[in-house]
Amino acid sequence: MATGETILRVKGLKTHIFLEDGVVRAVDGADLEIRRGETLAVVGESGCGKSMMARSILRLVDRPAQIVDGEIWVRRPPGKGGNSDGAAEMVDLVRADRRVVREVRGKRIAMVFQEPMTSLSPMHTIGDQIAEVILLHEQVTKQAARRRTIELLGRVGIPAPKVRVDSYPFQLSGGMLQRAMIAMALSCNPELLIADEPTTALDVTTQAQILQLLRTLQKEYGMAVMLITHDLGVAAQMADQVAVMYLGVVVERGDIVSTFRSPLHPYTQALLRSVPKLGLSAGARLAPVRGMVPHPYQRPSGCPFHTRCDSFMAGKCDLTVPELLRQDDGREVRCLLYDGTAGAGAVAPGAEGRNA
Ligand SMILES: Nc1ncnc2c1ncn2[C@@H]1O[C@H](COP(=O)(O)OP(=O)(O)O)[C@@H](O)[C@H]1O
Ligand SMILES: [Mg+2]
């Protein structure tokens, strides 16, 4: 399933937020890759930088936040030259000019947010708002855009789309609004849909319906999906690949079946121990991840997870920032347990100085 070409590659992305009291390193060296048609789940506790990373990919971060380093490679917008070889087809959004960024946003990559009202205006009908997106990206008449809008609303399961097209957001339920958001995202046939906690604000039944809708549309449109969720059950249900984020860093990535069956990183292991049914036999004890995500200003040295890690190696994990290491099965993990030096004798000098 996951053998298609790469359509997004994020390398060493850093997005920092410059506040009066200090700098929040919201994304601090994140690496990701998505291939055509696949679903990547991005998981991790709240505050780990998932949303900031997603917004960075679309260059939707504003002051005081700023992308300070890294690369975001995506396929060029259609019809924009560079079709001769594979490399020339990619463009680095961090360095691309605004026009290219705008074209990628919508034509290549679209996004739905947890809270529909962050993207919908209460002042305009949903139909006008979706048609506006179509008109922005394509040379079609207003009537054609409206017809497309009605068709899209039908596609995402909104009943009586010919009537609902003229509804204002406040006239729709949360689930219907999220469907309208998805219709808007699909309006320009993106090859990647980034969905940031798209169902977190919905009740369980509606959540299941929206996830089913995403799956159906993904098949129909051949889209890749980046599904951001703190819910490992949703990730397991939906994704082919998973990236686990902690404090702005991807600490583990790989195919979801092996990763959830035998997680490599102690953080992934801890996350999986905290949810029922996943990765554990029935009757096993549930345990929340020990401790809390540190305050953004108090980012630990070395491996950012070392303050909560059951496998903490003093003098090592608190001093050395682990690299993303590729394993034999292609999975990757950012943990010093896997760098071949773990164990006795590997302790770096000066270990006594650690302040827990
Ligand atoms: N506008 C903002 N101002 C200050 N800090 C922010 C802002 N947005 C996000 N952050 C901080 O950036 C970090 C990452 O946040 P976020 O990307 O929203 O995490 P997630 O989506 O994984 O819950 C957190 O420490 C959060 O407090
Ligand atoms: Mg978030």
Side-chain angles (χ1 to χ4, degrees), residues 280-317:
L280 273 184
S281 51
R285 222 158 23 93
L286 292 182
V289 185
R290 180 162 64 79
M292 285 189 339
V293 177
H295 187 278
Y297 294 151
Q298 272 129 40
R299 201 192 157 80
S301 59
C303 169
F305 187 59
H306 84 257
T307 53
R308 304 170 71 190
C309 184
D310 290 336
S311 307
F312 169 68
M313 299 175 280
K316 191 164 157 69
C317 303

PDB file of all heavy atoms in Angstrom, residues 280-317:
ATOM      1  N   LEU A 280      -1.872  -4.218  24.000  1.00  0.00           N
ATOM      2  CA  LEU A 280      -1.873  -4.913  25.275  1.00  0.00           C
ATOM      3  C   LEU A 280      -2.894  -6.043  25.235  1.00  0.00           C
ATOM      4  O   LEU A 280      -3.925  -5.909  24.607  1.00  0.00           O
ATOM      5  CB  LEU A 280      -2.334  -3.972  26.384  1.00  0.00           C
ATOM      6  CG  LEU A 280      -1.306  -3.094  27.073  1.00  0.00           C
ATOM      7  CD1 LEU A 280      -1.997  -2.348  28.193  1.00  0.00           C
ATOM      8  CD2 LEU A 280      -0.188  -3.942  27.630  1.00  0.00           C
ATOM      9  N   SER A 281      -2.581  -7.116  25.911  1.00  0.00           N
ATOM     10  CA  SER A 281      -3.585  -8.164  26.006  1.00  0.00           C
ATOM     11  C   SER A 281      -4.650  -7.724  27.009  1.00  0.00           C
ATOM     12  O   SER A 281      -4.393  -6.904  27.881  1.00  0.00           O
ATOM     13  CB  SER A 281      -2.926  -9.454  26.473  1.00  0.00           C
ATOM     14  OG  SER A 281      -2.163  -9.187  27.620  1.00  0.00           O
ATOM     15  N   ALA A 282      -5.843  -8.294  26.856  1.00  0.00           N
ATOM     16  CA  ALA A 282      -6.933  -7.925  27.752  1.00  0.00           C
ATOM     17  C   ALA A 282      -6.518  -8.195  29.195  1.00  0.00           C
ATOM     18  O   ALA A 282      -5.842  -9.169  29.485  1.00  0.00           O
ATOM     19  CB  ALA A 282      -8.185  -8.714  27.394  1.00  0.00           C
ATOM     20  N   GLY A 283      -6.915  -7.342  30.088  1.00  0.00           N
ATOM     21  CA  GLY A 283      -6.624  -7.558  31.496  1.00  0.00           C
ATOM     22  C   GLY A 283      -5.328  -6.919  31.940  1.00  0.00           C
ATOM     23  O   GLY A 283      -5.068  -6.786  33.122  1.00  0.00           O
ATOM     24  N   ALA A 284      -4.494  -6.525  30.976  1.00  0.00           N
ATOM     25  CA  ALA A 284      -3.250  -5.870  31.366  1.00  0.00           C
ATOM     26  C   ALA A 284      -3.566  -4.512  31.985  1.00  0.00           C
ATOM     27  O   ALA A 284      -4.607  -3.932  31.717  1.00  0.00           O
ATOM     28  CB  ALA A 284      -2.344  -5.702  30.158  1.00  0.00           C
ATOM     29  N   ARG A 285      -2.664  -4.041  32.815  1.00  0.00           N
ATOM     30  CA  ARG A 285      -2.910  -2.822  33.551  1.00  0.00           C
ATOM     31  C   ARG A 285      -2.718  -1.584  32.672  1.00  0.00           C
ATOM     32  O   ARG A 285      -1.771  -1.498  31.906  1.00  0.00           O
ATOM     33  CB  ARG A 285      -1.942  -2.754  34.738  1.00  0.00           C
ATOM     34  CG  ARG A 285      -2.563  -2.268  36.014  1.00  0.00           C
ATOM     35  CD  ARG A 285      -1.742  -2.725  37.233  1.00  0.00           C
ATOM     36  NE  ARG A 285      -0.357  -3.030  36.899  1.00  0.00           N
ATOM     37  CZ  ARG A 285       0.635  -2.137  36.986  1.00  0.00           C
ATOM     38  NH1 ARG A 285       0.383  -0.904  37.390  1.00  0.00           N
ATOM     39  NH2 ARG A 285       1.868  -2.485  36.695  1.00  0.00           N
ATOM     40  N   LEU A 286      -3.615  -0.631  32.776  1.00  0.00           N
ATOM     41  CA  LEU A 286      -3.460   0.632  32.054  1.00  0.00           C
ATOM     42  C   LEU A 286      -2.684   1.588  32.935  1.00  0.00           C
ATOM     43  O   LEU A 286      -2.903   1.658  34.129  1.00  0.00           O
ATOM     44  CB  LEU A 286      -4.824   1.253  31.760  1.00  0.00           C
ATOM     45  CG  LEU A 286      -5.702   0.510  30.768  1.00  0.00           C
ATOM     46  CD1 LEU A 286      -6.993   1.285  30.561  1.00  0.00           C
ATOM     47  CD2 LEU A 286      -4.987   0.327  29.450  1.00  0.00           C
ATOM     48  N   ALA A 287      -1.789   2.339  32.318  1.00  0.00           N
ATOM     49  CA  ALA A 287      -1.043   3.324  33.082  1.00  0.00           C
ATOM     50  C   ALA A 287      -0.855   4.565  32.240  1.00  0.00           C
ATOM     51  O   ALA A 287      -0.427   4.476  31.105  1.00  0.00           O
ATOM     52  CB  ALA A 287       0.315   2.748  33.467  1.00  0.00           C
ATOM     53  N   PRO A 288      -1.203   5.708  32.802  1.00  0.00           N
ATOM     54  CA  PRO A 288      -0.940   6.931  32.044  1.00  0.00           C
ATOM     55  C   PRO A 288       0.561   7.140  31.913  1.00  0.00           C
ATOM     56  O   PRO A 288       1.327   6.604  32.710  1.00  0.00           O
ATOM     57  CB  PRO A 288      -1.574   8.028  32.902  1.00  0.00           C
ATOM     58  CG  PRO A 288      -1.686   7.449  34.269  1.00  0.00           C
ATOM     59  CD  PRO A 288      -1.751   5.958  34.131  1.00  0.00           C
ATOM     60  N   VAL A 289       0.974   7.904  30.903  1.00  0.00           N
ATOM     61  CA  VAL A 289       2.387   8.211  30.774  1.00  0.00           C
ATOM     62  C   VAL A 289       2.821   8.957  32.037  1.00  0.00           C
ATOM     63  O   VAL A 289       2.171   9.908  32.453  1.00  0.00           O
ATOM     64  CB  VAL A 289       2.662   9.083  29.528  1.00  0.00           C
ATOM     65  CG1 VAL A 289       4.157   9.296  29.348  1.00  0.00           C
ATOM     66  CG2 VAL A 289       2.063   8.451  28.283  1.00  0.00           C
ATOM     67  N   ARG A 290       3.905   8.477  32.656  1.00  0.00           N
ATOM     68  CA  ARG A 290       4.363   9.043  33.924  1.00  0.00           C
ATOM     69  C   ARG A 290       4.726  10.517  33.750  1.00  0.00           C
ATOM     70  O   ARG A 290       5.331  10.903  32.755  1.00  0.00           O
ATOM     71  CB  ARG A 290       5.591   8.247  34.364  1.00  0.00           C
ATOM     72  CG  ARG A 290       6.230   8.667  35.642  1.00  0.00           C
ATOM     73  CD  ARG A 290       7.127   7.544  36.153  1.00  0.00           C
ATOM     74  NE  ARG A 290       8.265   7.246  35.270  1.00  0.00           N
ATOM     75  CZ  ARG A 290       9.383   7.985  35.240  1.00  0.00           C
ATOM     76  NH1 ARG A 290       9.505   9.036  36.010  1.00  0.00           N
ATOM     77  NH2 ARG A 290      10.370   7.655  34.437  1.00  0.00           N
ATOM     78  N   GLY A 291       4.364  11.316  34.736  1.00  0.00           N
ATOM     79  CA  GLY A 291       4.727  12.727  34.698  1.00  0.00           C
ATOM     80  C   GLY A 291       3.925  13.520  33.691  1.00  0.00           C
ATOM     81  O   GLY A 291       2.919  13.038  33.173  1.00  0.00           O
ATOM     82  N   MET A 292       4.382  14.723  33.426  1.00  0.00           N
ATOM     83  CA  MET A 292       3.648  15.595  32.518  1.00  0.00           C
ATOM     84  C   MET A 292       4.574  16.147  31.451  1.00  0.00           C
ATOM     85  O   MET A 292       5.775  16.213  31.640  1.00  0.00           O
ATOM     86  CB  MET A 292       3.033  16.752  33.301  1.00  0.00           C
ATOM     87  CG  MET A 292       1.836  16.302  34.102  1.00  0.00           C
ATOM     88  SD  MET A 292       0.858  17.602  34.862  1.00  0.00           S
ATOM     89  CE  MET A 292       1.925  18.991  34.949  1.00  0.00           C
ATOM     90  N   VAL A 293       3.956  16.565  30.346  1.00  0.00           N
ATOM     91  CA  VAL A 293       4.716  17.266  29.316  1.00  0.00           C
ATOM     92  C   VAL A 293       5.323  18.504  29.990  1.00  0.00           C
ATOM     93  O   VAL A 293       4.603  19.266  30.613  1.00  0.00           O
ATOM     94  CB  VAL A 293       3.789  17.697  28.147  1.00  0.00           C
ATOM     95  CG1 VAL A 293       4.567  18.492  27.108  1.00  0.00           C
ATOM     96  CG2 VAL A 293       3.133  16.480  27.511  1.00  0.00           C
ATOM     97  N   PRO A 294       6.646  18.677  29.927  1.00  0.00           N
ATOM     98  CA  PRO A 294       7.263  19.809  30.622  1.00  0.00           C
ATOM     99  C   PRO A 294       6.744  21.149  30.107  1.00  0.00           C
ATOM    100  O   PRO A 294       6.269  21.245  28.970  1.00  0.00           O
ATOM    101  CB  PRO A 294       8.752  19.674  30.291  1.00  0.00           C
ATOM    102  CG  PRO A 294       8.940  18.329  29.728  1.00  0.00           C
ATOM    103  CD  PRO A 294       7.621  17.882  29.189  1.00  0.00           C
ATOM    104  N   HIS A 295       6.832  22.144  30.949  1.00  0.00           N
ATOM    105  CA  HIS A 295       6.480  23.496  30.542  1.00  0.00           C
ATOM    106  C   HIS A 295       7.330  23.882  29.333  1.00  0.00           C
ATOM    107  O   HIS A 295       8.514  23.562  29.274  1.00  0.00           O
ATOM    108  CB  HIS A 295       6.732  24.458  31.709  1.00  0.00           C
ATOM    109  CG  HIS A 295       6.251  25.834  31.448  1.00  0.00           C
ATOM    110  ND1 HIS A 295       6.985  26.743  30.719  1.00  0.00           N
ATOM    111  CD2 HIS A 295       5.094  26.458  31.781  1.00  0.00           C
ATOM    112  CE1 HIS A 295       6.301  27.871  30.621  1.00  0.00           C
ATOM    113  NE2 HIS A 295       5.155  27.727  31.251  1.00  0.00           N
ATOM    114  N   PRO A 296       6.709  24.556  28.368  1.00  0.00           N
ATOM    115  CA  PRO A 296       7.440  24.876  27.129  1.00  0.00           C
ATOM    116  C   PRO A 296       8.782  25.578  27.345  1.00  0.00           C
ATOM    117  O   PRO A 296       9.701  25.405  26.557  1.00  0.00           O
ATOM    118  CB  PRO A 296       6.476  25.799  26.383  1.00  0.00           C
ATOM    119  CG  PRO A 296       5.137  25.538  26.947  1.00  0.00           C
ATOM    120  CD  PRO A 296       5.314  24.983  28.313  1.00  0.00           C
ATOM    121  N   TYR A 297       8.901  26.381  28.405  1.00  0.00           N
ATOM    122  CA  TYR A 297      10.169  27.072  28.632  1.00  0.00           C
ATOM    123  C   TYR A 297      11.212  26.166  29.265  1.00  0.00           C
ATOM    124  O   TYR A 297      12.387  26.483  29.287  1.00  0.00           O
ATOM    125  CB  TYR A 297       9.976  28.295  29.534  1.00  0.00           C
ATOM    126  CG  TYR A 297       9.136  29.388  28.918  1.00  0.00           C
ATOM    127  CD1 TYR A 297       8.387  30.241  29.714  1.00  0.00           C
ATOM    128  CD2 TYR A 297       9.098  29.570  27.540  1.00  0.00           C
ATOM    129  CE1 TYR A 297       7.623  31.254  29.156  1.00  0.00           C
ATOM    130  CE2 TYR A 297       8.334  30.575  26.972  1.00  0.00           C
ATOM    131  CZ  TYR A 297       7.595  31.409  27.786  1.00  0.00           C
ATOM    132  OH  TYR A 297       6.838  32.406  27.239  1.00  0.00           O
ATOM    133  N   GLN A 298      10.753  25.043  29.842  1.00  0.00           N
ATOM    134  CA  GLN A 298      11.702  24.157  30.509  1.00  0.00           C
ATOM    135  C   GLN A 298      11.950  22.898  29.707  1.00  0.00           C
ATOM    136  O   GLN A 298      11.699  21.791  30.145  1.00  0.00           O
ATOM    137  CB  GLN A 298      11.195  23.788  31.908  1.00  0.00           C
ATOM    138  CG  GLN A 298      11.640  24.789  32.946  1.00  0.00           C
ATOM    139  CD  GLN A 298      10.489  25.286  33.774  1.00  0.00           C
ATOM    140  OE1 GLN A 298       9.610  24.509  34.140  1.00  0.00           O
ATOM    141  NE2 GLN A 298      10.467  26.578  34.057  1.00  0.00           N
ATOM    142  N   ARG A 299      12.442  23.078  28.537  1.00  0.00           N
ATOM    143  CA  ARG A 299      12.703  21.965  27.661  1.00  0.00           C
ATOM    144  C   ARG A 299      13.921  21.206  28.161  1.00  0.00           C
ATOM    145  O   ARG A 299      14.985  21.783  28.358  1.00  0.00           O
ATOM    146  CB  ARG A 299      12.971  22.521  26.277  1.00  0.00           C
ATOM    147  CG  ARG A 299      12.763  21.542  25.207  1.00  0.00           C
ATOM    148  CD  ARG A 299      13.328  22.086  23.915  1.00  0.00           C
ATOM    149  NE  ARG A 299      13.587  20.944  23.086  1.00  0.00           N
ATOM    150  CZ  ARG A 299      12.633  20.340  22.417  1.00  0.00           C
ATOM    151  NH1 ARG A 299      11.416  20.798  22.448  1.00  0.00           N
ATOM    152  NH2 ARG A 299      12.912  19.282  21.706  1.00  0.00           N
ATOM    153  N   PRO A 300      13.792  19.886  28.404  1.00  0.00           N
ATOM    154  CA  PRO A 300      14.933  19.129  28.920  1.00  0.00           C
ATOM    155  C   PRO A 300      16.083  19.088  27.914  1.00  0.00           C
ATOM    156  O   PRO A 300      15.857  19.141  26.707  1.00  0.00           O
ATOM    157  CB  PRO A 300      14.359  17.723  29.125  1.00  0.00           C
ATOM    158  CG  PRO A 300      12.875  17.883  29.143  1.00  0.00           C
ATOM    159  CD  PRO A 300      12.583  19.061  28.264  1.00  0.00           C
ATOM    160  N   SER A 301      17.294  18.962  28.449  1.00  0.00           N
ATOM    161  CA  SER A 301      18.466  18.805  27.586  1.00  0.00           C
ATOM    162  C   SER A 301      18.491  17.379  27.035  1.00  0.00           C
ATOM    163  O   SER A 301      17.725  16.523  27.480  1.00  0.00           O
ATOM    164  CB  SER A 301      19.721  19.046  28.421  1.00  0.00           C
ATOM    165  OG  SER A 301      19.729  18.109  29.487  1.00  0.00           O
ATOM    166  N   GLY A 302      19.368  17.116  26.110  1.00  0.00           N
ATOM    167  CA  GLY A 302      19.518  15.761  25.571  1.00  0.00           C
ATOM    168  C   GLY A 302      18.245  15.279  24.919  1.00  0.00           C
ATOM    169  O   GLY A 302      17.613  16.003  24.166  1.00  0.00           O
ATOM    170  N   CYS A 303      17.856  14.040  25.232  1.00  0.00           N
ATOM    171  CA  CYS A 303      16.589  13.530  24.727  1.00  0.00           C
ATOM    172  C   CYS A 303      15.459  14.220  25.484  1.00  0.00           C
ATOM    173  O   CYS A 303      15.405  14.159  26.710  1.00  0.00           O
ATOM    174  CB  CYS A 303      16.492  12.015  24.935  1.00  0.00           C
ATOM    175  SG  CYS A 303      14.827  11.400  24.605  1.00  0.00           S
ATOM    176  N   PRO A 304      14.528  14.885  24.785  1.00  0.00           N
ATOM    177  CA  PRO A 304      13.497  15.637  25.498  1.00  0.00           C
ATOM    178  C   PRO A 304      12.607  14.773  26.392  1.00  0.00           C
ATOM    179  O   PRO A 304      12.006  15.271  27.338  1.00  0.00           O
ATOM    180  CB  PRO A 304      12.677  16.274  24.359  1.00  0.00           C
ATOM    181  CG  PRO A 304      13.045  15.538  23.119  1.00  0.00           C
ATOM    182  CD  PRO A 304      14.428  15.012  23.321  1.00  0.00           C
ATOM    183  N   PHE A 305      12.575  13.472  26.126  1.00  0.00           N
ATOM    184  CA  PHE A 305      11.701  12.590  26.924  1.00  0.00           C
ATOM    185  C   PHE A 305      12.408  12.048  28.176  1.00  0.00           C
ATOM    186  O   PHE A 305      11.786  11.386  28.992  1.00  0.00           O
ATOM    187  CB  PHE A 305      11.215  11.423  26.047  1.00  0.00           C
ATOM    188  CG  PHE A 305      10.175  10.560  26.718  1.00  0.00           C
ATOM    189  CD1 PHE A 305       8.969  11.101  27.145  1.00  0.00           C
ATOM    190  CD2 PHE A 305      10.401   9.207  26.930  1.00  0.00           C
ATOM    191  CE1 PHE A 305       7.997  10.314  27.769  1.00  0.00           C
ATOM    192  CE2 PHE A 305       9.432   8.408  27.557  1.00  0.00           C
ATOM    193  CZ  PHE A 305       8.239   8.966  27.972  1.00  0.00           C
ATOM    194  N   HIS A 306      13.690  12.352  28.360  1.00  0.00           N
ATOM    195  CA  HIS A 306      14.429  11.646  29.416  1.00  0.00           C
ATOM    196  C   HIS A 306      13.861  11.848  30.814  1.00  0.00           C
ATOM    197  O   HIS A 306      13.968  10.971  31.669  1.00  0.00           O
ATOM    198  CB  HIS A 306      15.933  11.982  29.362  1.00  0.00           C
ATOM    199  CG  HIS A 306      16.338  13.249  30.062  1.00  0.00           C
ATOM    200  ND1 HIS A 306      16.628  14.413  29.394  1.00  0.00           N
ATOM    201  CD2 HIS A 306      16.508  13.529  31.384  1.00  0.00           C
ATOM    202  CE1 HIS A 306      16.962  15.358  30.273  1.00  0.00           C
ATOM    203  NE2 HIS A 306      16.895  14.840  31.485  1.00  0.00           N
ATOM    204  N   THR A 307      13.196  13.007  31.061  1.00  0.00           N
ATOM    205  CA  THR A 307      12.679  13.264  32.413  1.00  0.00           C
ATOM    206  C   THR A 307      11.511  12.339  32.772  1.00  0.00           C
ATOM    207  O   THR A 307      11.145  12.231  33.931  1.00  0.00           O
ATOM    208  CB  THR A 307      12.184  14.722  32.537  1.00  0.00           C
ATOM    209  OG1 THR A 307      11.255  14.981  31.478  1.00  0.00           O
ATOM    210  CG2 THR A 307      13.346  15.696  32.438  1.00  0.00           C
ATOM    211  N   ARG A 308      10.922  11.687  31.769  1.00  0.00           N
ATOM    212  CA  ARG A 308       9.761  10.834  32.048  1.00  0.00           C
ATOM    213  C   ARG A 308      10.013   9.383  31.662  1.00  0.00           C
ATOM    214  O   ARG A 308       9.121   8.548  31.710  1.00  0.00           O
ATOM    215  CB  ARG A 308       8.536  11.347  31.275  1.00  0.00           C
ATOM    216  CG  ARG A 308       8.210  12.803  31.562  1.00  0.00           C
ATOM    217  CD  ARG A 308       7.158  13.324  30.602  1.00  0.00           C
ATOM    218  NE  ARG A 308       5.838  12.762  30.846  1.00  0.00           N
ATOM    219  CZ  ARG A 308       4.809  12.907  30.024  1.00  0.00           C
ATOM    220  NH1 ARG A 308       4.961  13.588  28.883  1.00  0.00           N
ATOM    221  NH2 ARG A 308       3.650  12.372  30.306  1.00  0.00           N
ATOM    222  N   CYS A 309      11.234   9.097  31.264  1.00  0.00           N
ATOM    223  CA  CYS A 309      11.498   7.810  30.622  1.00  0.00           C
ATOM    224  C   CYS A 309      11.879   6.732  31.631  1.00  0.00           C
ATOM    225  O   CYS A 309      12.728   6.946  32.490  1.00  0.00           O
ATOM    226  CB  CYS A 309      12.633   7.990  29.612  1.00  0.00           C
ATOM    227  SG  CYS A 309      12.982   6.491  28.673  1.00  0.00           S
ATOM    228  N   ASP A 310      11.278   5.561  31.500  1.00  0.00           N
ATOM    229  CA  ASP A 310      11.598   4.442  32.380  1.00  0.00           C
ATOM    230  C   ASP A 310      12.962   3.843  32.063  1.00  0.00           C
ATOM    231  O   ASP A 310      13.523   3.108  32.870  1.00  0.00           O
ATOM    232  CB  ASP A 310      10.527   3.348  32.254  1.00  0.00           C
ATOM    233  CG  ASP A 310       9.201   3.791  32.853  1.00  0.00           C
ATOM    234  OD1 ASP A 310       9.224   4.687  33.737  1.00  0.00           O
ATOM    235  OD2 ASP A 310       8.148   3.283  32.432  1.00  0.00           O
ATOM    236  N   SER A 311      13.476   4.105  30.872  1.00  0.00           N
ATOM    237  CA  SER A 311      14.779   3.537  30.485  1.00  0.00           C
ATOM    238  C   SER A 311      15.890   4.578  30.545  1.00  0.00           C
ATOM    239  O   SER A 311      16.944   4.390  29.944  1.00  0.00           O
ATOM    240  CB  SER A 311      14.697   2.984  29.061  1.00  0.00           C
ATOM    241  OG  SER A 311      13.614   2.096  28.938  1.00  0.00           O
ATOM    242  N   PHE A 312      15.656   5.658  31.276  1.00  0.00           N
ATOM    243  CA  PHE A 312      16.617   6.760  31.351  1.00  0.00           C
ATOM    244  C   PHE A 312      18.020   6.278  31.732  1.00  0.00           C
ATOM    245  O   PHE A 312      18.188   5.543  32.696  1.00  0.00           O
ATOM    246  CB  PHE A 312      16.123   7.782  32.382  1.00  0.00           C
ATOM    247  CG  PHE A 312      17.145   8.811  32.740  1.00  0.00           C
ATOM    248  CD1 PHE A 312      17.551   9.747  31.800  1.00  0.00           C
ATOM    249  CD2 PHE A 312      17.713   8.839  34.005  1.00  0.00           C
ATOM    250  CE1 PHE A 312      18.509  10.705  32.122  1.00  0.00           C
ATOM    251  CE2 PHE A 312      18.670   9.786  34.329  1.00  0.00           C
ATOM    252  CZ  PHE A 312      19.071  10.721  33.384  1.00  0.00           C
ATOM    253  N   MET A 313      19.010   6.679  30.958  1.00  0.00           N
ATOM    254  CA  MET A 313      20.405   6.356  31.263  1.00  0.00           C
ATOM    255  C   MET A 313      21.108   7.651  31.636  1.00  0.00           C
ATOM    256  O   MET A 313      21.348   8.508  30.784  1.00  0.00           O
ATOM    257  CB  MET A 313      21.084   5.724  30.036  1.00  0.00           C
ATOM    258  CG  MET A 313      20.421   4.417  29.584  1.00  0.00           C
ATOM    259  SD  MET A 313      21.146   3.768  28.043  1.00  0.00           S
ATOM    260  CE  MET A 313      20.338   4.784  26.809  1.00  0.00           C
ATOM    261  N   ALA A 314      21.442   7.782  32.922  1.00  0.00           N
ATOM    262  CA  ALA A 314      22.064   9.026  33.400  1.00  0.00           C
ATOM    263  C   ALA A 314      23.387   9.256  32.690  1.00  0.00           C
ATOM    264  O   ALA A 314      24.137   8.323  32.419  1.00  0.00           O
ATOM    265  CB  ALA A 314      22.276   8.947  34.910  1.00  0.00           C
ATOM    266  N   GLY A 315      23.649  10.512  32.400  1.00  0.00           N
ATOM    267  CA  GLY A 315      24.905  10.858  31.759  1.00  0.00           C
ATOM    268  C   GLY A 315      24.886  10.620  30.260  1.00  0.00           C
ATOM    269  O   GLY A 315      25.856  10.873  29.554  1.00  0.00           O
ATOM    270  N   LYS A 316      23.806  10.097  29.791  1.00  0.00           N
ATOM    271  CA  LYS A 316      23.713   9.802  28.364  1.00  0.00           C
ATOM    272  C   LYS A 316      22.485  10.509  27.795  1.00  0.00           C
ATOM    273  O   LYS A 316      22.589  11.434  27.007  1.00  0.00           O
ATOM    274  CB  LYS A 316      23.622   8.284  28.183  1.00  0.00           C
ATOM    275  CG  LYS A 316      23.780   7.792  26.780  1.00  0.00           C
ATOM    276  CD  LYS A 316      24.065   6.281  26.801  1.00  0.00           C
ATOM    277  CE  LYS A 316      23.700   5.615  25.494  1.00  0.00           C
ATOM    278  NZ  LYS A 316      24.543   5.965  24.382  1.00  0.00           N
ATOM    279  N   CYS A 317      21.332  10.080  28.279  1.00  0.00           N
ATOM    280  CA  CYS A 317      20.090  10.620  27.718  1.00  0.00           C
ATOM    281  C   CYS A 317      19.910  12.105  28.041  1.00  0.00           C
ATOM    282  O   CYS A 317      19.236  12.820  27.305  1.00  0.00           O
ATOM    283  CB  CYS A 317      18.906   9.837  28.250  1.00  0.00           C
ATOM    284  SG  CYS A 317      19.025   8.079  27.886  1.00  0.00           S
TER     285      CYS A 317
END
